[in-house]
Amino acid sequence: MAKGIKNKVAIIGMGCTKFGELWDKSASDLIVDAYKEAMEDAGIEKKHIDAAWFSSCVDEVNVGKGGFPLARTLKLPFLPVTRTENFCASGTEAFRGACYAVASGACDIALALGVEKLKDTGYGGLPDFGQLMGVERRVIGPNLTAPGAFAMMATKYFNRYGLSPEEGKRVLAHISSKSHHNGTLCPKAHLRREVSIEQIMKAPMIAWPLGLFDCCGVSDGAAAAIVVRADMAKDFRKDPIYVKALQIAITSGEEEGYRSWDGAHVEPTCRAAIRAYEEAGITNPREEISMMDVHDCFSITELVTYEDLQISPRGKAREDVEAGFFDLDGKIPCQTDGGLKCFGHPIGASGLRMLYEEYQQLQGKAGERQVKNPRIGLTHNLGGFPHMSVCSVAIVGNEL
Amino acid sequence: MAGITSYGAYIPRYRMNRKVIFDQFGWFNPANASVARGEKAVANYDEDTITMAVAAATDCLNGRDRKEVDGVYLASVSLPFAERQNAVIVSDALNCSSKLRTADFGGSLRSGTTALLSAFDAADAGGNIMVCAADSRVGKPGSAQEYTFGDGAAALLVGNDGVVAEFKGSFSVSRDFIDYRRLPQEKFGHEWEARWIRDEGYGKIIPEAAFGLLRNYGLDIKDFAKIVIACPVQAAFVGLVKTLGAKPEQIQDNMMSNVGDSGSALPFMMFVAALEEAKPGDKIMVISYGNGSDAIYFEVTDEIEKVKKGRKGIKGCLSEKEALPIYGKYLVFKNIIPIEAGIRGEEIPPTAMSVLWREGRTISALVGSRCKVCGTPQYPRHRVCVNPDCGAVDQMEDYHFSDKTGTVNSYTGDNLAFCWDPPQIYGSVDFGDGGRIFLEFTDCELGSLKVGMPVFMSFRKKYADPQRGHYGYFWKAVPVK
């Protein structure tokens, strides 16, 4: 394997808007808000930026395609601006672009910014993917939505590990309830109230067996990061956060068309995690990772991700969930800010929003939800559907 | 001598007790109490004349090689497309050769028997013709037709080898008798007085054809083991039995109590039901009706017993049913009232006809591929093998999935996706001989599904693109309880 970018890049500034149904804010407003916070945090000026990566997924229906929305909104001085779109990994993909540019020496300082203005699409949930997945897929693929695609994984997980729908839903409810609790402690989260396991179990069905509270929120938001070469980082701040690993894996199509996939896990997450741990030099993730923000678009996604990230053994995530292993006071707190569950999922922004939480935790600035003495934070995105996905794993730390 | 070499039928799974209609619309026309008896077959929201014809023809083929079919005729007065041949959609879905004759027959309820007679002409030249008759007509709310119309299809394979019912002769009359009529742009038809239709229409035109046949071939009505009279009006039907001088046991049931008036398909469906009970040597007369009448005379051969095996036919379809107790659902399935489709239902991207053409049988006949190197069946057709341990490039041969069975690998019922009958049910299907496809499921309830359940493939309407005058068809999985 290549050497990777461990300890070559540091984050010196981050910004994140409040997430929510921001009817009074445009995508441009969100871009400016996230940018301002990141720039003030880094203590730099516009002229210091060498290049920018801009992520949005379906927001081309709002702000438009290409790098223009970022460049025009921020009046960037004729910089190279690249738009990234890789489904729900779009934000992490922008971050990866900026980090690779810095690590290569092509840039000293790069900006990654992601935004999504979902509440201007008119949909509850994500917009219809029929137009976004290519014409052949619309003609032959089932009329599916994201909740339905992930619900199939819940069906298979319950079936494979012998859980009745009632038992399975109770495990999933623990996951959502935990995230809702964490969300109450995070001022920038969209949904900030406790939700009990019983409430979650009784909620209206969205896509069987997933109910309303098994699904993440739908929000607007933006987040940004400023990265520099690691050896420059201390010139800007005393507590930079170092990038340990950045990996992405995309389906080869075998889950969809070949019968080896069990439908109860997400293969690209496994592959991206293995590569990320190798890049970061992590040999025992269950012991070495301090906290995580994973792609909990649905409760079942978070459950299988515990296993796909090789934190919980296959089929045993349920035991860890029930033992409180991933609760805020557990061994590896997960979704310390409430996750997608409470922030919602403005697609282009989510990956950077997760990094924002790790950044704050690693700097000890997470307030009431602060994890004790964290060293290593992990973020994970899963785009597309379990049978056709793009997964990213990012690992960051506060020590070189 | 040419004749029927195979037969098949299809009746949609949903049956509506006519009292359900009367409960909703009896107040409007209490006289409809006379037709508010029994049940009628109702096509699912994703079925139409074309899909029912494909199902009936599949039953009729019963595993036969599609290459043997030299022509596909489709008869109906409810053809989905006015321009774009309907029969070729059926032929492609069946995965027949492209080098064959296809034709639509329509305009009259007699179109089925007219297509059949044309097929006998073609068979004389040595061809095998698949003749499908299907109808899914919509009666106007409050009308008698709303009660009497039912949906269904039947298919007859015509040829010279392995004839089960020999074509012995026919007699046709054509009359511009304007009883029920409809303009191309109209959804509902218009009718003249029912008594006049009963006495001057059914009562005179059908006997004219039947007696013409008897006279021409020197036969007596007593010579027939079964007489199929495609007359859906009960009073006229009873009168005709008397007029023809037939005994009740000679008369084939007109399916009004359990299916309804299936239009062009009615004489075919009754004929198939008669063949299911026929013995070698039986003479059967089939009489259609619609702007005239065709009377056709068949004689059943020794081959009949062989062909009875392995198909659903009328008998099988009648026994597989599910009640449709909600009138509102019927109105939605039949597109009689608009429904709030929401933004997901409204947002219809333009259909690319060039893609449909390029993909061809991949879509229309569920033809995928099988890797010649590792033997893995796969769908859709890709140039690189999906097996991660193979990955061979350009080593594919065509592989037909629609005639294969599989099992449910995963599933969900999605309330977010727009569906005419929510939730939208879909999942992945593992095929017994290899291959996995993510498909919509139909003719099932979410609560009855289980991982591992067997499924078969059914050709259905997948999406409507009304702004561009297009319906998309594709294959769905039907779970078997």
Side-chain angles (χ1 to χ4, degrees), chain A residues 121-126 128 131 135-136 138-145 147-149 151-152 155-156 159 205-208 253-259 261 387, chain B residues 343-344 347 349-351 355-356 359 363 376 379 386-388 409-418 424 426-427 430-431 434-436 438 440 446 451 462 474:
Chain A
T121 62
Y123 287 86
L126 293 178
D128 186 48
Q131 291 195 71
V135 62
E136 287 176 33
R138 184 167 77 79
V139 175
I140 66 173
N143 178 25
L144 58 66
T145 65
M152 289 189 277
T155 302
K156 272 320 288 281
N159 177 266
M205 200 55 78
I206 301 297
W208 190 91
E254 68 185 71
E255 302 99 307
E256 204 181 355
Y258 193 61
R259 301 214 352 213
W261 180 53
H387 57 278
Chain B
I343 192 168
R344 280 194 175 74
E347 197 89 353
T351 308
V355 172
L356 299 184
E359 296 304 318
I363 299 166
T376 303
Y379 186 91
V386 73
N387 175 356
N409 176 56
S410 66
Y411 67 91
T412 185
D414 188 337
N415 289 302
L416 199 58
F418 171 71
Q424 177 80 64
Y426 51 83
D430 282 355
F431 286 80
R436 171 180 289 172
F438 281 74
E440 287 170 23
L446 177 62
V451 171
K462 184 169 185 323
F474 191 57

Coordinates of all heavy atoms in Angstrom, one line a residue, chain A residues 121-126 128 131 135-136 138-145 147-149 151-152 155-156 159 205-208 253-259 261 387, chain B residues 343-344 347 349-351 355-356 359 363 376 379 386-388 409-418 424 426-427 430-431 434-436 438 440 446 451 462 474:
Chain A
T121 N -36.2 22.0 -1.9 CA -36.5 21.0 -3.0 C -38.0 20.6 -3.0 O -38.5 20.1 -3.9 CB -35.7 19.7 -2.8 OG1 -36.1 19.1 -1.6 CG2 -34.2 20.0 -2.9
G122 N -38.7 20.9 -1.9 CA -40.2 20.6 -1.8 C -40.5 19.2 -1.3 O -41.6 18.8 -1.2
Y123 N -39.4 18.4 -1.0 CA -39.6 17.1 -0.6 C -39.5 16.9 0.9 O -38.7 17.6 1.5 CB -38.6 16.1 -1.2 CG -38.8 15.9 -2.6 CD1 -38.2 16.7 -3.6 CD2 -39.4 14.7 -3.1 CE1 -38.4 16.5 -4.9 CE2 -39.6 14.5 -4.4 CZ -39.1 15.3 -5.4 OH -39.2 15.1 -6.7
G124 N -40.4 16.1 1.5 CA -40.0 15.5 2.9 C -39.2 14.3 2.6 O -39.5 13.5 1.7
G125 N -38.0 14.2 3.2 CA -37.0 13.2 2.8 C -36.2 13.8 1.7 O -36.4 14.9 1.3
L126 N -35.4 12.9 1.1 CA -34.5 13.4 0.0 C -35.4 13.5 -1.3 O -36.4 12.8 -1.4 CB -33.4 12.5 -0.2 CG -32.3 12.4 1.0 CD1 -31.2 11.4 0.7 CD2 -31.7 13.8 1.2
D128 N -36.5 12.8 -5.1 CA -36.6 11.6 -5.8 C -35.3 11.3 -6.6 O -34.8 12.2 -7.2 CB -37.8 11.7 -6.9 CG -38.0 10.4 -7.5 OD1 -38.1 9.4 -6.8 OD2 -38.1 10.3 -8.8
Q131 N -34.2 10.7 -11.2 CA -33.5 11.5 -12.2 C -32.0 11.5 -12.0 O -31.3 11.9 -12.8 CB -34.0 12.9 -12.1 CG -35.4 13.1 -12.6 CD -35.8 14.6 -12.8 OE1 -35.3 15.1 -13.8 NE2 -36.6 15.1 -12.0
V135 N -30.6 7.1 -16.5 CA -31.9 6.7 -17.2 C -32.1 5.2 -17.1 O -33.2 4.8 -16.9 CB -32.0 7.3 -18.6 CG1 -30.9 6.7 -19.5 CG2 -33.3 7.0 -19.2
E136 N -31.1 4.4 -17.3 CA -31.3 2.9 -17.3 C -31.9 2.5 -15.9 O -32.7 1.6 -15.9 CB -30.0 2.2 -17.6 CG -29.6 2.3 -19.0 CD -28.3 1.7 -19.3 OE1 -27.9 0.7 -18.7 OE2 -27.5 2.2 -20.2
R138 N -33.6 4.2 -13.9 CA -35.0 4.5 -13.7 C -36.0 3.6 -14.4 O -37.1 3.3 -14.0 CB -35.3 6.0 -14.2 CG -36.7 6.5 -14.0 CD -36.8 7.9 -14.2 NE -36.8 8.3 -15.6 CZ -37.9 8.2 -16.4 NH1 -39.0 7.7 -15.8 NH2 -37.9 8.5 -17.6
V139 N -35.5 3.1 -15.6 CA -36.3 2.2 -16.4 C -36.4 0.8 -15.8 O -37.5 0.2 -15.8 CB -35.8 2.2 -17.8 CG1 -36.6 1.2 -18.6 CG2 -35.9 3.6 -18.4
I140 N -35.3 0.3 -15.2 CA -35.3 -1.0 -14.7 C -35.3 -1.1 -13.2 O -35.6 -2.2 -12.6 CB -34.1 -1.9 -15.3 CG1 -32.8 -1.3 -14.8 CG2 -34.2 -1.9 -16.8 CD1 -31.6 -2.2 -15.2
G141 N -34.8 -0.1 -12.5 CA -34.7 -0.2 -11.0 C -36.0 -0.1 -10.3 O -36.9 0.5 -10.9
P142 N -36.1 -0.7 -9.1 CA -37.4 -0.5 -8.4 C -37.6 1.0 -8.0 O -36.6 1.7 -8.0 CB -37.2 -1.4 -7.2 CG -35.8 -1.7 -7.1 CD -35.2 -1.5 -8.4
N143 N -38.8 1.3 -7.8 CA -39.2 2.7 -7.5 C -38.8 2.9 -6.0 O -39.7 2.9 -5.1 CB -40.7 2.9 -7.7 CG -41.2 4.2 -7.3 OD1 -40.5 5.2 -7.3 ND2 -42.5 4.3 -6.9
L144 N -37.5 3.0 -5.7 CA -37.1 3.0 -4.3 C -36.7 4.4 -3.8 O -36.4 5.3 -4.6 CB -36.0 2.0 -4.1 CG -34.6 2.0 -4.8 CD1 -33.8 3.2 -4.5 CD2 -33.8 0.8 -4.4
T145 N -36.8 4.5 -2.5 CA -36.3 5.7 -1.8 C -35.2 5.3 -0.9 O -35.0 4.1 -0.7 CB -37.4 6.4 -1.0 OG1 -37.8 5.5 0.0 CG2 -38.7 6.7 -1.9
P147 N -35.0 5.5 2.5 CA -35.5 4.7 3.6 C -35.8 3.2 3.2 O -35.5 2.3 3.9 CB -36.8 5.3 4.1 CG -36.8 6.7 3.5 CD -35.8 6.7 2.3
G148 N -36.4 3.1 2.0 CA -36.7 1.7 1.5 C -35.5 0.9 1.3 O -35.4 -0.3 1.6
A149 N -34.4 1.5 0.7 CA -33.2 0.8 0.3 C -32.5 0.3 1.6 O -32.0 -0.8 1.7 CB -32.3 1.7 -0.5
A151 N -34.1 0.0 4.5 CA -35.0 -1.0 5.2 C -34.8 -2.4 4.8 O -34.9 -3.3 5.6 CB -36.5 -0.5 4.9
M152 N -34.5 -2.6 3.5 CA -34.2 -3.9 3.0 C -33.0 -4.5 3.8 O -33.0 -5.7 4.1 CB -33.8 -3.9 1.5 CG -35.0 -3.7 0.6 SD -34.6 -3.9 -1.1 CE -33.8 -2.4 -1.5
T155 N -34.3 -5.7 7.1 CA -35.0 -7.0 6.9 C -34.0 -8.2 6.9 O -34.2 -9.2 7.5 CB -35.8 -7.0 5.5 OG1 -36.7 -5.9 5.6 CG2 -36.5 -8.3 5.3
K156 N -32.9 -7.9 6.1 CA -31.9 -9.0 6.0 C -31.1 -9.2 7.3 O -30.8 -10.3 7.7 CB -30.9 -8.7 4.9 CG -31.3 -9.2 3.5 CD -31.9 -10.5 3.4 CE -31.0 -11.7 3.6 NZ -30.2 -12.1 2.5
N159 N -33.2 -11.1 9.7 CA -33.4 -12.5 9.2 C -32.1 -13.2 9.5 O -32.1 -14.4 10.0 CB -33.7 -12.5 7.7 CG -33.8 -13.8 7.2 OD1 -32.8 -14.3 6.6 ND2 -34.9 -14.5 7.3
M205 N -44.8 4.1 10.4 CA -43.8 3.3 9.5 C -43.5 4.2 8.3 O -44.4 4.8 7.6 CB -44.5 2.0 9.1 CG -43.6 1.0 8.6 SD -42.3 0.5 9.8 CE -43.2 -0.5 10.9
I206 N -42.2 4.3 8.0 CA -41.8 5.0 6.8 C -41.5 3.9 5.7 O -42.1 4.0 4.6 CB -40.5 5.8 7.0 CG1 -40.8 6.9 8.1 CG2 -40.0 6.5 5.7 CD1 -41.9 7.9 7.7
A207 N -40.6 3.0 6.0 CA -40.4 1.9 5.1 C -40.1 0.7 6.0 O -39.1 0.6 6.7 CB -39.2 2.1 4.1
W208 N -41.0 -0.3 5.9 CA -41.0 -1.4 6.9 C -39.6 -2.1 6.8 O -39.1 -2.4 5.7 CB -42.1 -2.4 6.6 CG -42.2 -3.4 7.6 CD1 -43.0 -3.4 8.7 CD2 -41.5 -4.7 7.8 NE1 -42.8 -4.5 9.5 CE2 -41.9 -5.3 8.9 CE3 -40.5 -5.3 7.0 CZ2 -41.4 -6.5 9.4 CZ3 -39.9 -6.5 7.4 CH2 -40.4 -7.1 8.6
G253 N -20.4 -3.3 -7.8 CA -21.6 -3.8 -8.4 C -21.9 -5.2 -8.0 O -23.0 -5.7 -8.4
E254 N -21.0 -5.9 -7.3 CA -21.3 -7.3 -7.0 C -22.4 -7.5 -5.9 O -23.1 -8.5 -6.0 CB -20.0 -8.0 -6.5 CG -19.4 -7.6 -5.2 CD -18.1 -8.2 -4.9 OE1 -17.1 -7.9 -5.5 OE2 -18.0 -9.1 -4.0
E255 N -22.6 -6.5 -5.1 CA -23.6 -6.6 -4.1 C -25.0 -6.7 -4.8 O -25.9 -7.4 -4.4 CB -23.7 -5.4 -3.1 CG -22.4 -5.1 -2.4 CD -21.6 -4.0 -3.0 OE1 -21.3 -4.1 -4.2 OE2 -21.2 -3.1 -2.3
E256 N -25.1 -5.9 -5.8 CA -26.4 -5.8 -6.5 C -26.6 -7.0 -7.4 O -27.7 -7.5 -7.6 CB -26.3 -4.5 -7.4 CG -27.6 -3.9 -7.7 CD -27.4 -2.7 -8.6 OE1 -26.3 -2.3 -8.8 OE2 -28.4 -2.2 -9.1
G257 N -25.6 -7.5 -8.1 CA -25.8 -8.5 -9.1 C -25.2 -9.8 -8.9 O -25.4 -10.7 -9.7
Y258 N -24.4 -10.0 -7.8 CA -23.8 -11.3 -7.5 C -24.3 -11.8 -6.2 O -24.6 -11.0 -5.3 CB -22.2 -11.1 -7.5 CG -21.5 -12.4 -7.6 CD1 -21.6 -13.2 -8.7 CD2 -20.6 -12.7 -6.5 CE1 -20.9 -14.4 -8.7 CE2 -19.9 -13.9 -6.6 CZ -20.0 -14.7 -7.7 OH -19.3 -15.9 -7.7
R259 N -24.4 -13.1 -6.0 CA -25.1 -13.5 -4.9 C -24.3 -13.7 -3.6 O -24.8 -14.2 -2.6 CB -25.8 -14.8 -5.2 CG -26.8 -14.6 -6.4 CD -28.0 -15.4 -6.4 NE -28.2 -16.4 -5.4 CZ -28.9 -17.5 -5.7 NH1 -29.4 -17.7 -6.9 NH2 -29.0 -18.4 -4.8
W261 N -23.1 -11.3 -1.6 CA -23.4 -10.3 -0.5 C -24.6 -10.8 0.3 O -25.6 -11.2 -0.3 CB -23.7 -9.0 -1.2 CG -24.0 -7.9 -0.2 CD1 -23.3 -7.5 0.8 CD2 -25.1 -7.0 -0.3 NE1 -23.9 -6.4 1.5 CE2 -25.0 -6.1 0.8 CE3 -26.2 -6.9 -1.2 CZ2 -26.0 -5.1 1.0 CZ3 -27.2 -5.9 -0.9 CH2 -27.0 -5.0 0.2
H387 N -26.8 -1.6 -1.4 CA -26.4 -2.4 -2.5 C -25.6 -1.7 -3.6 O -25.2 -2.3 -4.5 CB -27.6 -3.1 -3.1 CG -28.7 -2.2 -3.6 ND1 -29.6 -1.6 -2.7 CD2 -28.9 -1.8 -4.8 CE1 -30.4 -0.9 -3.5 NE2 -30.0 -0.9 -4.7
Chain B
I343 N -45.2 15.2 -4.7 CA -44.2 15.7 -5.6 C -43.4 14.5 -6.2 O -42.9 14.6 -7.3 CB -43.2 16.6 -4.8 CG1 -42.3 17.4 -5.7 CG2 -42.5 16.0 -3.7 CD1 -41.6 18.5 -5.0
R344 N -43.3 13.4 -5.4 CA -42.6 12.2 -6.0 C -43.3 11.6 -7.1 O -42.7 11.1 -8.1 CB -42.4 11.2 -4.9 CG -41.2 11.5 -4.0 CD -40.8 10.3 -3.2 NE -39.6 10.7 -2.5 CZ -39.6 11.5 -1.4 NH1 -40.7 12.0 -1.0 NH2 -38.4 11.9 -0.9
E347 N -43.2 14.2 -10.3 CA -41.9 14.5 -10.9 C -41.5 13.3 -11.8 O -41.0 12.3 -11.4 CB -40.8 14.7 -9.8 CG -39.6 15.3 -10.3 CD -39.6 16.8 -10.1 OE1 -40.7 17.4 -9.8 OE2 -38.6 17.5 -10.4
P349 N -39.3 12.4 -15.0 CA -38.3 12.8 -15.9 C -38.6 12.2 -17.3 O -39.3 11.2 -17.4 CB -37.0 12.2 -15.4 CG -37.3 11.2 -14.4 CD -38.8 11.4 -14.0
P350 N -38.2 12.9 -18.4 CA -38.6 12.5 -19.7 C -38.0 11.1 -20.0 O -36.9 10.8 -19.6 CB -37.9 13.5 -20.6 CG -37.1 14.4 -19.8 CD -37.4 14.2 -18.4
T351 N -38.8 10.3 -20.6 CA -38.3 8.9 -21.0 C -37.5 9.1 -22.3 O -37.9 9.7 -23.3 CB -39.5 8.0 -21.3 OG1 -40.4 8.1 -20.2 CG2 -39.1 6.6 -21.5
V355 N -32.9 5.1 -25.4 CA -32.4 4.1 -24.4 C -33.3 2.9 -24.5 O -32.7 1.7 -24.5 CB -32.4 4.7 -23.0 CG1 -32.1 3.7 -22.0 CG2 -31.5 5.9 -22.9
L356 N -34.6 3.0 -24.5 CA -35.5 1.9 -24.6 C -35.1 1.0 -25.8 O -35.1 -0.2 -25.8 CB -36.9 2.3 -24.7 CG -37.4 3.1 -23.5 CD1 -38.9 3.4 -23.6 CD2 -37.2 2.4 -22.2
E359 N -31.5 -0.6 -25.3 CA -31.5 -1.7 -24.3 C -32.4 -2.9 -24.7 O -32.2 -4.0 -24.3 CB -32.0 -1.2 -22.9 CG -31.0 -0.2 -22.3 CD -29.6 -0.7 -22.2 OE1 -29.4 -1.8 -21.8 OE2 -28.6 0.1 -22.5
I363 N -34.9 -4.8 -21.2 CA -36.0 -4.3 -20.5 C -37.3 -5.1 -20.9 O -38.0 -5.5 -20.0 CB -36.2 -2.8 -20.9 CG1 -35.0 -2.0 -20.5 CG2 -37.5 -2.2 -20.3 CD1 -34.9 -0.6 -21.1
T376 N -21.8 -17.3 -14.6 CA -22.7 -16.6 -13.7 C -23.7 -15.8 -14.5 O -23.4 -15.0 -15.3 CB -21.8 -15.5 -12.9 OG1 -20.8 -16.2 -12.2 CG2 -22.7 -14.7 -11.9
Y379 N -27.7 -9.6 -14.3 CA -28.6 -8.6 -14.9 C -28.3 -7.3 -14.2 O -28.1 -7.2 -13.0 CB -30.1 -9.0 -14.6 CG -31.0 -8.1 -15.3 CD1 -31.5 -8.4 -16.6 CD2 -31.5 -6.9 -14.7 CE1 -32.4 -7.6 -17.2 CE2 -32.3 -6.1 -15.4 CZ -32.8 -6.4 -16.6 OH -33.6 -5.6 -17.3
V386 N -19.7 -9.7 -13.4 CA -19.9 -9.2 -12.0 C -19.2 -10.0 -11.0 O -19.0 -9.6 -9.8 CB -21.4 -9.1 -11.8 CG1 -22.0 -10.5 -11.5 CG2 -21.7 -8.2 -10.6
N387 N -18.9 -11.3 -11.3 CA -18.2 -12.1 -10.3 C -16.8 -11.6 -10.1 O -16.0 -11.5 -10.9 CB -18.1 -13.6 -11.0 CG -17.3 -14.5 -10.1 OD1 -16.8 -14.2 -9.1 ND2 -17.3 -15.8 -10.5
P388 N -16.6 -11.2 -8.8 CA -15.3 -10.6 -8.5 C -14.1 -11.5 -8.7 O -13.0 -11.0 -8.9 CB -15.4 -10.2 -7.0 CG -16.5 -11.1 -6.4 CD -17.4 -11.3 -7.6
N409 N -34.9 -12.4 -1.5 CA -33.7 -12.2 -0.7 C -33.8 -11.1 0.4 O -33.4 -11.3 1.5 CB -32.5 -12.0 -1.6 CG -31.2 -11.7 -0.8 OD1 -30.8 -12.6 0.0 ND2 -30.6 -10.6 -1.0
S410 N -34.4 -10.0 0.0 CA -34.7 -8.9 0.9 C -36.0 -8.2 0.4 O -36.4 -8.4 -0.7 CB -33.5 -7.9 1.0 OG -33.4 -7.3 -0.3
Y411 N -36.6 -7.4 1.3 CA -37.8 -6.7 0.9 C -38.1 -5.6 1.8 O -37.6 -5.6 3.0 CB -39.0 -7.6 0.8 CG -39.4 -8.2 2.1 CD1 -40.4 -7.5 2.9 CD2 -38.9 -9.4 2.6 CE1 -40.8 -8.0 4.1 CE2 -39.3 -9.9 3.8 CZ -40.3 -9.2 4.6 OH -40.6 -9.7 5.8
T412 N -38.9 -4.7 1.4 CA -39.4 -3.6 2.2 C -40.8 -3.2 1.6 O -41.1 -3.4 0.5 CB -38.5 -2.4 2.4 OG1 -39.0 -1.5 3.3 CG2 -38.3 -1.7 1.1
G413 N -41.5 -2.5 2.4 CA -42.7 -1.8 2.0 C -42.5 -0.3 2.2 O -42.4 0.1 3.4
D414 N -42.4 0.5 1.2 CA -41.9 1.8 1.2 C -43.1 2.8 1.2 O -43.8 2.9 0.1 CB -40.9 2.1 0.1 CG -40.2 3.4 0.1 OD1 -40.7 4.3 0.7 OD2 -39.1 3.5 -0.5
N415 N -43.3 3.6 2.2 CA -44.4 4.5 2.2 C -44.1 5.9 1.7 O -44.9 6.7 1.5 CB -45.0 4.7 3.7 CG -45.7 3.5 4.1 OD1 -46.7 3.0 3.5 ND2 -45.3 2.9 5.2
L416 N -42.8 6.1 1.5 CA -42.3 7.4 1.0 C -42.4 7.4 -0.6 O -42.8 8.4 -1.1 CB -40.9 7.6 1.4 CG -40.3 9.0 1.5 CD1 -41.2 9.9 2.3 CD2 -38.9 9.0 1.9
A417 N -42.0 6.3 -1.2 CA -42.1 6.3 -2.7 C -43.6 6.4 -3.1 O -44.4 5.8 -2.5 CB -41.5 5.0 -3.2
F418 N -43.8 7.1 -4.2 CA -45.2 7.1 -4.7 C -45.6 5.8 -5.3 O -44.8 5.2 -6.1 CB -45.4 8.3 -5.7 CG -46.8 8.2 -6.4 CD1 -47.9 8.5 -5.6 CD2 -46.9 7.7 -7.7 CE1 -49.2 8.3 -6.2 CE2 -48.2 7.5 -8.2 CZ -49.3 7.9 -7.5
Q424 N -45.1 1.0 -1.6 CA -44.4 0.4 -2.7 C -43.5 -0.7 -2.2 O -42.7 -0.5 -1.4 CB -43.5 1.5 -3.4 CG -42.7 0.9 -4.5 CD -43.5 0.9 -5.8 OE1 -43.9 1.9 -6.4 NE2 -43.6 -0.4 -6.3
Y426 N -40.8 -3.7 -2.7 CA -39.7 -4.1 -3.6 C -38.7 -4.8 -2.8 O -38.7 -4.8 -1.5 CB -39.1 -2.9 -4.4 CG -38.7 -1.7 -3.5 CD1 -37.5 -1.7 -2.9 CD2 -39.6 -0.6 -3.4 CE1 -37.1 -0.6 -2.1 CE2 -39.2 0.5 -2.6 CZ -38.0 0.5 -2.0 OH -37.6 1.6 -1.3
G427 N -37.7 -5.4 -3.5 CA -36.7 -6.1 -2.8 C -35.7 -6.7 -3.8 O -35.8 -6.4 -5.0
D430 N -33.2 -13.6 -5.6 CA -32.1 -14.5 -6.0 C -32.8 -15.6 -6.9 O -33.7 -16.2 -6.5 CB -31.5 -15.1 -4.8 CG -30.5 -14.2 -4.1 OD1 -30.3 -13.1 -4.6 OD2 -30.0 -14.5 -3.0
F431 N -32.2 -15.7 -8.1 CA -32.8 -16.7 -9.0 C -32.2 -18.1 -8.8 O -31.0 -18.2 -8.4 CB -32.5 -16.2 -10.5 CG -33.5 -15.1 -10.8 CD1 -33.2 -13.8 -10.5 CD2 -34.6 -15.4 -11.5 CE1 -34.0 -12.8 -10.8 CE2 -35.5 -14.3 -11.8 CZ -35.2 -13.0 -11.4
G434 N -29.1 -18.9 -10.5 CA -28.0 -17.9 -10.4 C -28.5 -16.6 -10.8 O -29.4 -16.5 -11.7
G435 N -27.9 -15.5 -10.3 CA -28.3 -14.2 -10.6 C -29.2 -13.5 -9.5 O -29.9 -14.2 -8.8
R436 N -29.0 -12.2 -9.4 CA -29.8 -11.5 -8.4 C -30.2 -10.2 -9.1 O -29.5 -9.5 -9.7 CB -28.9 -11.2 -7.2 CG -29.6 -10.2 -6.2 CD -28.7 -9.9 -5.0 NE -28.6 -11.1 -4.2 CZ -27.7 -11.1 -3.1 NH1 -26.9 -10.2 -2.9 NH2 -27.7 -12.2 -2.4
F438 N -32.7 -6.6 -8.3 CA -33.6 -5.8 -7.4 C -34.8 -5.4 -8.2 O -34.7 -4.8 -9.3 CB -32.9 -4.5 -6.9 CG -31.9 -4.8 -5.8 CD1 -30.7 -5.4 -6.0 CD2 -32.3 -4.4 -4.5 CE1 -29.9 -5.7 -4.9 CE2 -31.4 -4.7 -3.4 CZ -30.2 -5.3 -3.7
E440 N -39.4 -4.6 -8.2 CA -40.6 -4.3 -7.5 C -41.4 -5.6 -7.4 O -41.3 -6.5 -8.3 CB -41.4 -3.2 -8.3 CG -40.8 -1.8 -8.2 CD -41.5 -0.8 -9.1 OE1 -42.6 -1.0 -9.6 OE2 -40.8 0.2 -9.4
L446 N -47.6 -6.7 2.1 CA -46.3 -6.6 2.8 C -46.3 -7.7 3.9 O -45.3 -8.3 4.1 CB -46.2 -5.2 3.4 CG -44.9 -5.0 4.3 CD1 -43.7 -5.2 3.5 CD2 -45.0 -3.6 4.9
V451 N -38.4 -13.7 3.8 CA -37.2 -14.0 3.2 C -37.2 -15.5 2.8 O -37.6 -16.3 3.6 CB -36.0 -13.6 4.1 CG1 -34.7 -14.1 3.5 CG2 -35.9 -12.1 4.3
K462 N -44.7 -0.2 -15.4 CA -43.8 0.3 -14.3 C -43.9 1.7 -14.0 O -43.9 2.1 -12.9 CB -42.3 0.0 -14.7 CG -41.3 0.3 -13.6 CD -40.0 -0.2 -13.8 CE -39.0 0.0 -12.7 NZ -39.1 1.3 -12.0
F474 N -42.1 -3.1 -17.4 CA -40.9 -3.9 -17.0 C -41.5 -5.1 -16.2 O -42.7 -5.3 -16.1 CB -40.0 -3.0 -16.1 CG -38.7 -3.6 -15.8 CD1 -37.9 -4.0 -16.8 CD2 -38.3 -3.9 -14.5 CE1 -36.6 -4.6 -16.5 CE2 -37.1 -4.4 -14.2 CZ -36.2 -4.8 -15.2

